[in-house]
Amino acid sequence: MVHMTTKTNHPNNSRLRELIESAGLTQAAALTIFNRGQAKPITESGFKAWLAAPDSVRWRELSDAYAAHAEKVFNKVPKRP
């Protein structure tokens, strides 16, 4: 018998996706904005890992510190109507 498990997304990862979508940004634009002011920029691969489906091999948990940074930078972006 095969048991399928569905991993739920971490709240920080879900919130990052919400912030990007509410600002109407592409992933590329969001990464550019996110990296402004970072001492060590996040790679495209790392950023996509935060946005990946939680049951994918690529998925990585978004830390509280990066989640706070995302809130700060994406809340400055005018929301799309």
Side-chain angles (χ1 to χ4, degrees):
M1 176 184 267
V2 176
H3 293 281
M4 300 297 285
T5 58
T6 304
K7 187 176 177 184
T8 58
N9 211 352
H10 189 276
N12 288 347
N13 296 62
S14 296
R15 181 63 180 146
L16 176 63
R17 184 171 290 282
E18 289 170 11
L19 289 166
I20 293 168
E21 288 175 359
S22 70
L25 298 169
T26 64
Q27 286 184 13
L31 176 59
T32 298
I33 291 168
F34 186 88
N35 276 335
R36 286 185 192 146
Q38 290 287 354
K40 183 178 178 191
I42 300 302
T43 64
E44 180 180 2
S45 178
F47 197 72
K48 286 183 175 186
W50 293 333
L51 299 171
D55 56 353
S56 79
V57 173
R58 172 176 246 182
W59 183 88
R60 296 292 179 265
E61 182 178 315
L62 177 63
S63 72
D64 289 341
Y66 281 132
H69 177 71
E71 289 283 348
K72 184 174 121 182
V73 298
F74 293 127
N75 281 328
K76 292 179 181 176
V77 176
K79 305 295 182 238
R80 69 176 180 192

